[in-house]
Amino acid sequence: MLFAIICTDRPGSLDLRMATRAQHLAFLELNKAGIQFGGPQLDSDGKPCGSLILLEAEDRASAEGFAAADPYAKVDLFESVIVRPLRTVFRDGQLVE
């Protein structure tokens, strides 16, 4: 099942994000098999202010476990984390429903 993991950084936490980025990217590399898409959300100045990951996972508990294991989560970077299941309707220019 596909899950959206939508994370919002705590205000004023860009330095913490940048200091933890290498560990975060290593974590994503270790888990790349399930990641369909991932990247930072940007603020009005074009600076990272959150994360969005589309993850293929067995169930919600697995997706939540993935989100909790992210080094960004472990250093308390996020103000909020939403894990929500998705159903694909449109992909790569094609209606897939």
Side-chain angles (χ1 to χ4, degrees):
M1 177 172 239
L2 191 61
F3 291 86
I5 301 173
I6 307 157
C7 308
T8 302
D9 292 0
R10 294 184 184 284
S13 62
L14 183 58
D15 288 343
L16 178 59
R17 172 180 273 275
M18 299 315 292
T20 313
R21 186 170 187 266
Q23 297 96 309
H24 168 73
L25 294 177
F27 171 77
L28 296 181
E29 183 67 28
L30 286 174
N31 292 281
K32 66 184 178 184
I35 298 172
Q36 302 297 310
F37 171 88
Q41 298 179 69
L42 305 177
D43 66 15
S44 60
D45 295 324
K47 294 180 182 165
C49 64
S51 299
L52 172 64
I53 296 175
L54 299 182
L55 179 71
E56 187 70 39
E58 184 175 319
D59 53 30
R60 184 183 191 95
S62 297
E64 289 173 347
F66 171 91
D70 186 327
Y72 282 163
K74 289 184 173 189
V75 297
D76 203 27
L77 174 66
F78 300 129
E79 179 177 71
S80 67
V81 176
I82 298 169
V83 178
R84 189 167 285 153
L86 292 174
R87 180 174 50 91
T88 302
V89 174
F90 203 85
R91 173 178 261 155
D92 299 327
Q94 299 292 320
L95 187 64
V96 295
E97 180 172 67

